mmCIF file of all heavy atoms in Angstrom:
data_model
loop_
_atom_site.group_PDB
_atom_site.id
_atom_site.type_symbol
_atom_site.label_atom_id
_atom_site.label_comp_id
_atom_site.label_asym_id
_atom_site.label_seq_id
_atom_site.Cartn_x
_atom_site.Cartn_y
_atom_site.Cartn_z
ATOM 1 N N MET A 13 -18.473 -19.737 -21.287
ATOM 2 C CA MET A 13 -18.033 -18.665 -20.264
ATOM 3 C C MET A 13 -16.612 -18.227 -20.517
ATOM 4 O O MET A 13 -16.190 -17.077 -20.388
ATOM 5 C CB MET A 13 -18.319 -19.124 -18.900
ATOM 6 C CG MET A 13 -19.775 -19.197 -18.506
ATOM 7 S SD MET A 13 -20.177 -19.368 -16.663
ATOM 8 C CE MET A 13 -19.385 -21.052 -16.427
ATOM 9 N N SER A 17 -16.728 -14.776 -22.344
ATOM 10 C CA SER A 17 -16.944 -13.920 -21.238
ATOM 11 C C SER A 17 -15.847 -13.760 -20.331
ATOM 12 O O SER A 17 -15.886 -13.301 -19.176
ATOM 13 C CB SER A 17 -18.221 -14.385 -20.372
ATOM 14 O OG SER A 17 -19.279 -14.421 -21.281
ATOM 15 N N ASN A 18 -14.576 -14.125 -20.756
ATOM 16 C CA ASN A 18 -13.333 -13.934 -19.964
ATOM 17 C C ASN A 18 -13.324 -14.545 -18.652
ATOM 18 O O ASN A 18 -12.673 -14.096 -17.669
ATOM 19 C CB ASN A 18 -13.011 -12.467 -19.802
ATOM 20 C CG ASN A 18 -12.856 -11.658 -21.148
ATOM 21 O OD1 ASN A 18 -12.035 -12.143 -21.944
ATOM 22 N ND2 ASN A 18 -13.545 -10.584 -21.293
ATOM 23 N N LEU A 19 -14.052 -15.714 -18.469
ATOM 24 C CA LEU A 19 -13.974 -16.460 -17.233
ATOM 25 C C LEU A 19 -12.473 -17.049 -17.024
ATOM 26 O O LEU A 19 -11.934 -17.530 -17.901
ATOM 27 C CB LEU A 19 -14.879 -17.620 -17.156
ATOM 28 C CG LEU A 19 -14.792 -18.562 -16.015
ATOM 29 C CD1 LEU A 19 -15.165 -17.878 -14.778
ATOM 30 C CD2 LEU A 19 -15.696 -19.761 -16.148
ATOM 31 N N ASP A 20 -11.931 -16.773 -15.793
ATOM 32 C CA ASP A 20 -10.725 -17.387 -15.528
ATOM 33 C C ASP A 20 -10.519 -17.666 -14.068
ATOM 34 O O ASP A 20 -11.303 -17.246 -13.288
ATOM 35 C CB ASP A 20 -9.486 -16.496 -16.020
ATOM 36 C CG ASP A 20 -9.618 -15.070 -15.365
ATOM 37 O OD1 ASP A 20 -9.690 -15.017 -14.215
ATOM 38 O OD2 ASP A 20 -9.538 -14.011 -16.004
ATOM 39 N N VAL A 21 -9.522 -18.425 -13.734
ATOM 40 C CA VAL A 21 -9.032 -18.709 -12.384
ATOM 41 C C VAL A 21 -7.951 -17.581 -12.296
ATOM 42 O O VAL A 21 -6.929 -17.736 -12.871
ATOM 43 C CB VAL A 21 -8.539 -20.040 -12.106
ATOM 44 C CG1 VAL A 21 -7.775 -20.068 -10.731
ATOM 45 C CG2 VAL A 21 -9.681 -21.079 -12.187
ATOM 46 N N ARG A 22 -8.166 -16.495 -11.489
ATOM 47 C CA ARG A 22 -7.335 -15.431 -11.443
ATOM 48 C C ARG A 22 -6.043 -15.764 -10.750
ATOM 49 O O ARG A 22 -4.980 -15.341 -11.169
ATOM 50 C CB ARG A 22 -7.981 -14.230 -10.684
ATOM 51 C CG ARG A 22 -7.138 -12.899 -10.698
ATOM 52 C CD ARG A 22 -6.863 -12.432 -12.119
ATOM 53 N NE ARG A 22 -8.007 -12.410 -13.025
ATOM 54 C CZ ARG A 22 -8.759 -11.454 -13.081
ATOM 55 N NH1 ARG A 22 -8.642 -10.371 -12.373
ATOM 56 N NH2 ARG A 22 -9.739 -11.498 -14.000
ATOM 57 N N THR A 23 -5.997 -16.593 -9.774
ATOM 58 C CA THR A 23 -4.826 -16.975 -9.173
ATOM 59 C C THR A 23 -4.948 -18.300 -8.355
ATOM 60 O O THR A 23 -5.909 -18.669 -7.693
ATOM 61 C CB THR A 23 -4.344 -15.921 -8.151
ATOM 62 O OG1 THR A 23 -3.138 -16.320 -7.517
ATOM 63 C CG2 THR A 23 -5.362 -15.620 -7.030
ATOM 64 N N VAL A 69 -9.242 -24.042 -18.751
ATOM 65 C CA VAL A 69 -9.623 -22.754 -17.953
ATOM 66 C C VAL A 69 -8.336 -21.982 -17.748
ATOM 67 O O VAL A 69 -7.357 -22.568 -17.095
ATOM 68 C CB VAL A 69 -10.218 -23.249 -16.521
ATOM 69 C CG1 VAL A 69 -10.481 -22.077 -15.710
ATOM 70 C CG2 VAL A 69 -11.393 -24.201 -16.710
ATOM 71 N N PRO A 70 -8.275 -20.709 -18.186
ATOM 72 C CA PRO A 70 -7.127 -19.957 -17.982
ATOM 73 C C PRO A 70 -6.796 -19.830 -16.461
ATOM 74 O O PRO A 70 -7.773 -19.433 -15.677
ATOM 75 C CB PRO A 70 -7.482 -18.560 -18.582
ATOM 76 C CG PRO A 70 -8.629 -18.885 -19.496
ATOM 77 C CD PRO A 70 -9.369 -20.112 -18.931
ATOM 78 N N VAL A 72 -4.532 -17.413 -14.514
ATOM 79 C CA VAL A 72 -3.785 -16.308 -14.921
ATOM 80 C C VAL A 72 -2.473 -16.147 -14.190
ATOM 81 O O VAL A 72 -1.495 -15.787 -14.791
ATOM 82 C CB VAL A 72 -4.695 -15.028 -14.828
ATOM 83 C CG1 VAL A 72 -3.874 -13.787 -15.196
ATOM 84 C CG2 VAL A 72 -5.952 -15.138 -15.657
ATOM 85 N N PHE A 199 -5.383 -12.861 -3.053
ATOM 86 C CA PHE A 199 -5.215 -11.739 -4.070
ATOM 87 C C PHE A 199 -4.007 -10.781 -3.569
ATOM 88 O O PHE A 199 -3.973 -10.430 -2.395
ATOM 89 C CB PHE A 199 -6.520 -11.037 -4.248
ATOM 90 C CG PHE A 199 -7.477 -11.722 -5.116
ATOM 91 C CD1 PHE A 199 -8.517 -12.389 -4.461
ATOM 92 C CD2 PHE A 199 -7.385 -11.770 -6.467
ATOM 93 C CE1 PHE A 199 -9.423 -13.196 -5.273
ATOM 94 C CE2 PHE A 199 -8.241 -12.400 -7.254
ATOM 95 C CZ PHE A 199 -9.309 -13.044 -6.659
ATOM 96 N N VAL A 216 -7.309 -20.397 -3.813
ATOM 97 C CA VAL A 216 -7.728 -20.120 -5.188
ATOM 98 C C VAL A 216 -8.670 -18.906 -5.342
ATOM 99 O O VAL A 216 -9.634 -18.883 -4.592
ATOM 100 C CB VAL A 216 -8.279 -21.406 -6.051
ATOM 101 C CG1 VAL A 216 -8.741 -20.957 -7.289
ATOM 102 C CG2 VAL A 216 -7.112 -22.490 -6.130
ATOM 103 N N GLY A 217 -8.310 -18.018 -6.202
ATOM 104 C CA GLY A 217 -9.160 -16.885 -6.479
ATOM 105 C C GLY A 217 -9.795 -16.972 -7.811
ATOM 106 O O GLY A 217 -9.018 -17.051 -8.824
ATOM 107 N N VAL A 218 -11.024 -17.061 -7.879
ATOM 108 C CA VAL A 218 -11.735 -17.105 -9.224
ATOM 109 C C VAL A 218 -12.302 -15.685 -9.683
ATOM 110 O O VAL A 218 -12.409 -14.815 -8.761
ATOM 111 C CB VAL A 218 -12.889 -18.123 -9.264
ATOM 112 C CG1 VAL A 218 -12.324 -19.469 -9.081
ATOM 113 C CG2 VAL A 218 -13.830 -17.773 -8.258
ATOM 114 N N SER A 219 -12.623 -15.560 -10.843
ATOM 115 C CA SER A 219 -13.120 -14.181 -11.185
ATOM 116 C C SER A 219 -13.825 -14.399 -12.523
ATOM 117 O O SER A 219 -13.557 -15.167 -13.359
ATOM 118 C CB SER A 219 -11.884 -13.325 -11.554
ATOM 119 O OG SER A 219 -12.446 -11.998 -11.850
ATOM 120 N N GLY A 220 -14.943 -13.589 -12.763
ATOM 121 C CA GLY A 220 -15.739 -13.577 -13.833
ATOM 122 C C GLY A 220 -16.754 -12.468 -14.014
ATOM 123 O O GLY A 220 -17.900 -12.715 -14.246
ATOM 124 N N PRO A 221 -16.173 -11.210 -13.871
ATOM 125 C CA PRO A 221 -17.104 -10.126 -14.161
ATOM 126 C C PRO A 221 -17.841 -10.057 -15.552
ATOM 127 O O PRO A 221 -19.095 -9.869 -15.686
ATOM 128 C CB PRO A 221 -16.317 -8.896 -14.120
ATOM 129 C CG PRO A 221 -15.102 -9.363 -13.329
ATOM 130 C CD PRO A 221 -14.827 -10.690 -13.585
ATOM 131 N N GLY A 222 -17.092 -10.635 -16.542
ATOM 132 C CA GLY A 222 -17.719 -10.692 -17.893
ATOM 133 C C GLY A 222 -18.805 -11.779 -17.969
ATOM 134 O O GLY A 222 -19.888 -11.632 -18.715
ATOM 135 N N VAL A 223 -18.643 -12.823 -17.255
ATOM 136 C CA VAL A 223 -19.765 -13.864 -17.193
ATOM 137 C C VAL A 223 -21.072 -13.327 -16.529
ATOM 138 O O VAL A 223 -22.064 -13.536 -17.008
ATOM 139 C CB VAL A 223 -19.291 -15.136 -16.419
ATOM 140 C CG1 VAL A 223 -20.283 -16.159 -16.281
ATOM 141 C CG2 VAL A 223 -17.905 -15.616 -16.966
ATOM 142 N N VAL A 224 -20.824 -12.570 -15.418
ATOM 143 C CA VAL A 224 -22.002 -11.878 -14.765
ATOM 144 C C VAL A 224 -22.734 -10.946 -15.710
ATOM 145 O O VAL A 224 -23.947 -10.938 -15.868
ATOM 146 C CB VAL A 224 -21.628 -11.251 -13.477
ATOM 147 C CG1 VAL A 224 -22.750 -10.571 -12.817
ATOM 148 C CG2 VAL A 224 -21.008 -12.255 -12.496
ATOM 149 N N ILE A 250 -19.491 -20.052 -11.457
ATOM 150 C CA ILE A 250 -18.126 -19.615 -11.472
ATOM 151 C C ILE A 250 -17.359 -20.236 -10.443
ATOM 152 O O ILE A 250 -16.141 -20.792 -10.558
ATOM 153 C CB ILE A 250 -18.113 -18.120 -11.391
ATOM 154 C CG1 ILE A 250 -18.580 -17.341 -12.561
ATOM 155 C CG2 ILE A 250 -16.649 -17.547 -11.111
ATOM 156 C CD1 ILE A 250 -18.908 -15.952 -12.365
ATOM 157 N N THR A 251 -17.954 -20.341 -9.298
ATOM 158 C CA THR A 251 -17.278 -20.916 -8.128
ATOM 159 C C THR A 251 -16.927 -22.391 -8.273
ATOM 160 O O THR A 251 -16.003 -22.897 -7.832
ATOM 161 C CB THR A 251 -18.041 -20.744 -6.833
ATOM 162 O OG1 THR A 251 -18.341 -19.277 -6.716
ATOM 163 C CG2 THR A 251 -17.259 -21.123 -5.545
ATOM 164 N N VAL A 253 -16.163 -23.893 -11.060
ATOM 165 C CA VAL A 253 -14.968 -24.005 -11.758
ATOM 166 C C VAL A 253 -13.753 -23.846 -10.960
ATOM 167 O O VAL A 253 -12.837 -24.603 -11.066
ATOM 168 C CB VAL A 253 -14.980 -22.897 -12.933
ATOM 169 C CG1 VAL A 253 -13.670 -22.919 -13.690
ATOM 170 C CG2 VAL A 253 -16.181 -23.142 -13.875
ATOM 171 N N GLY A 254 -13.755 -22.829 -10.021
ATOM 172 C CA GLY A 254 -12.644 -22.601 -9.153
ATOM 173 C C GLY A 254 -12.455 -23.750 -8.201
ATOM 174 O O GLY A 254 -11.390 -24.159 -7.872
ATOM 175 N N ILE A 272 -11.642 -21.028 -1.416
ATOM 176 C CA ILE A 272 -11.978 -20.429 -2.692
ATOM 177 C C ILE A 272 -12.317 -19.034 -2.365
ATOM 178 O O ILE A 272 -13.173 -18.747 -1.581
ATOM 179 C CB ILE A 272 -13.193 -21.102 -3.352
ATOM 180 C CG1 ILE A 272 -12.837 -22.465 -3.819
ATOM 181 C CG2 ILE A 272 -13.508 -20.270 -4.583
ATOM 182 C CD1 ILE A 272 -11.965 -22.670 -4.979
ATOM 183 N N ASP A 273 -11.716 -17.953 -2.992
ATOM 184 C CA ASP A 273 -12.128 -16.564 -2.868
ATOM 185 C C ASP A 273 -12.815 -16.227 -4.190
ATOM 186 O O ASP A 273 -12.289 -16.351 -5.284
ATOM 187 C CB ASP A 273 -10.860 -15.728 -2.751
ATOM 188 C CG ASP A 273 -11.254 -14.245 -2.544
ATOM 189 O OD1 ASP A 273 -12.143 -13.829 -3.187
ATOM 190 O OD2 ASP A 273 -10.556 -13.580 -1.716
ATOM 191 N N LEU A 274 -14.138 -16.029 -4.077
ATOM 192 C CA LEU A 274 -14.923 -15.930 -5.212
ATOM 193 C C LEU A 274 -15.134 -14.411 -5.701
ATOM 194 O O LEU A 274 -16.210 -14.028 -6.229
ATOM 195 C CB LEU A 274 -16.334 -16.654 -5.102
ATOM 196 C CG LEU A 274 -17.040 -16.342 -3.706
ATOM 197 C CD1 LEU A 274 -18.036 -15.171 -3.896
ATOM 198 C CD2 LEU A 274 -17.745 -17.576 -3.191
ATOM 199 N N SER A 275 -14.189 -13.633 -5.371
ATOM 200 C CA SER A 275 -14.202 -12.220 -5.814
ATOM 201 C C SER A 275 -14.271 -12.032 -7.254
ATOM 202 O O SER A 275 -13.656 -12.684 -7.995
ATOM 203 C CB SER A 275 -13.034 -11.474 -5.169
ATOM 204 O OG SER A 275 -12.990 -11.491 -3.742
ATOM 205 N N LEU A 276 -15.156 -10.997 -7.662
ATOM 206 C CA LEU A 276 -15.128 -10.557 -9.093
ATOM 207 C C LEU A 276 -14.063 -9.533 -9.212
ATOM 208 O O LEU A 276 -14.184 -8.405 -8.768
ATOM 209 C CB LEU A 276 -16.553 -10.072 -9.437
ATOM 210 C CG LEU A 276 -17.633 -11.027 -9.349
ATOM 211 C CD1 LEU A 276 -18.940 -10.299 -9.817
ATOM 212 C CD2 LEU A 276 -17.419 -12.186 -10.244
ATOM 213 N N ALA A 277 -12.849 -9.958 -9.771
ATOM 214 C CA ALA A 277 -11.842 -9.101 -10.011
ATOM 215 C C ALA A 277 -11.744 -8.579 -11.462
ATOM 216 O O ALA A 277 -11.423 -9.543 -12.261
ATOM 217 C CB ALA A 277 -10.454 -9.837 -9.508
ATOM 218 N N PRO A 278 -11.793 -7.341 -11.772
ATOM 219 C CA PRO A 278 -11.808 -6.992 -13.245
ATOM 220 C C PRO A 278 -10.355 -6.913 -13.794
ATOM 221 O O PRO A 278 -9.424 -7.034 -12.971
ATOM 222 C CB PRO A 278 -12.419 -5.646 -13.128
ATOM 223 C CG PRO A 278 -12.036 -5.072 -11.728
ATOM 224 C CD PRO A 278 -12.075 -6.307 -10.923
ATOM 225 N N THR A 279 -10.206 -6.761 -15.064
ATOM 226 C CA THR A 279 -8.991 -6.493 -15.704
ATOM 227 C C THR A 279 -9.242 -5.234 -16.686
ATOM 228 O O THR A 279 -10.399 -4.950 -16.884
ATOM 229 C CB THR A 279 -8.461 -7.692 -16.583
ATOM 230 O OG1 THR A 279 -9.374 -7.836 -17.677
ATOM 231 C CG2 THR A 279 -8.570 -8.958 -15.704
ATOM 232 N N ASP A 284 -14.571 -7.384 -19.299
ATOM 233 C CA ASP A 284 -14.073 -8.005 -17.962
ATOM 234 C C ASP A 284 -14.117 -6.963 -16.924
ATOM 235 O O ASP A 284 -13.183 -6.812 -16.190
ATOM 236 C CB ASP A 284 -12.679 -8.571 -18.092
ATOM 237 C CG ASP A 284 -12.379 -9.677 -17.114
ATOM 238 O OD1 ASP A 284 -13.336 -10.283 -16.592
ATOM 239 O OD2 ASP A 284 -11.197 -9.837 -16.917
ATOM 240 N N ILE A 286 -16.357 -4.600 -13.804
ATOM 241 C CA ILE A 286 -17.466 -4.343 -12.785
ATOM 242 C C ILE A 286 -18.312 -3.176 -13.325
ATOM 243 O O ILE A 286 -19.488 -3.273 -13.252
ATOM 244 C CB ILE A 286 -16.913 -4.065 -11.437
ATOM 245 C CG1 ILE A 286 -16.048 -5.324 -10.966
ATOM 246 C CG2 ILE A 286 -17.958 -3.783 -10.512
ATOM 247 C CD1 ILE A 286 -16.781 -6.548 -10.698
ATOM 248 N N GLY A 330 -16.332 -11.278 -3.061
ATOM 249 C CA GLY A 330 -17.314 -10.200 -3.395
ATOM 250 C C GLY A 330 -16.978 -9.643 -4.655
ATOM 251 O O GLY A 330 -16.786 -10.227 -5.730
ATOM 252 N N PHE A 332 -14.421 -6.527 -6.344
ATOM 253 C CA PHE A 332 -13.380 -5.471 -6.377
ATOM 254 C C PHE A 332 -13.596 -4.327 -7.182
ATOM 255 O O PHE A 332 -14.167 -4.477 -8.269
ATOM 256 C CB PHE A 332 -12.041 -6.074 -6.709
ATOM 257 C CG PHE A 332 -11.417 -7.128 -5.837
ATOM 258 C CD1 PHE A 332 -10.321 -7.886 -6.229
ATOM 259 C CD2 PHE A 332 -11.979 -7.415 -4.569
ATOM 260 C CE1 PHE A 332 -9.714 -8.834 -5.387
ATOM 261 C CE2 PHE A 332 -11.340 -8.288 -3.767
ATOM 262 C CZ PHE A 332 -10.204 -9.016 -4.135
#
Side-chain angles (χ1 to χ4, degrees):
M13 289 191 292
S17 306
N18 297 312
L19 173 65
D20 59 51
V21 171
R22 185 57 48 85
T23 178
V69 179
V72 180
F199 286 102
V216 169
V218 296
S219 184
V223 180
V224 175
I250 293 170
T251 307
V253 173
I272 297 283
D273 187 319
L274 47 95
S275 296
L276 297 181
T279 72
D284 200 24
I286 299 296
F332 289 170

